[in-house]
Amino acid sequence: MADRHGRFTALAFIMLAILGFLMGEPPQPLAGHPGNVFLLGERVLIPISAGAASWWTGDETGRKVGEGLIRPGQELLEPGPMGVGWYRLELLDGEKKVAGYTTYAVLAPLV
């Protein structure tokens, strides 16, 4: 479900970007980055749920592009700078089993 929601949000942002481009104003992400949509060069911060011990993120091909540990009580995860693309972030429990996941997108600014 989160996967479909993330793709829908990215598609909606792209449609708004095209509309903004036609109107002469470059689009900007909304405050709080709903749908985890970011512009290239922005700091990527993803809200995470409690209980995860580590994480990894992969690109659209499933290739691992980042991983790390999660501190107890940590609420935001910063996977690091990413290029333009669509990414899947998996949260892992102490036994390295998937405890949850989300997706995020990094888009090039339309300027």
Side-chain angles (χ1 to χ4, degrees):
M1 183 76 165
D3 186 32
R4 187 177 306 155
H5 182 269
R7 287 185 183 181
F8 174 77
T9 303
L11 179 61
F13 185 78
I14 291 169
M15 291 172 58
L16 288 172
I18 292 170
L19 181 60
F21 178 76
L22 294 174
M23 296 175 67
E25 298 177 20
Q28 297 297 315
L30 297 174
H33 298 278
N36 297 327
V37 177
F38 301 86
L39 291 181
L40 186 64
E42 283 189 304
R43 186 174 178 199
V44 175
L45 291 170
I46 309 289
I48 58 173
S49 55
S54 61
W55 63 274
W56 79 273
T57 191
D59 64 14
E60 72 279 355
T61 68
R63 181 178 60 93
K64 186 184 291 187
V65 295
E67 63 184 326
L69 299 176
I70 298 174
R71 296 181 316 277
Q74 184 175 340
E75 295 179 353
L76 293 173
L77 190 141
E78 184 173 6
M82 297 288 167
V84 171
W86 176 84
Y87 301 92
R88 178 181 171 103
L89 173 71
E90 290 192 357
L91 303 174
L92 309 173
D93 63 18
E95 298 177 0
K96 300 289 185 191
K97 294 182 181 175
V98 177
Y101 77 93
T102 190
T103 60
Y104 62 100
V106 178
L107 306 176
L110 297 176
V111 287

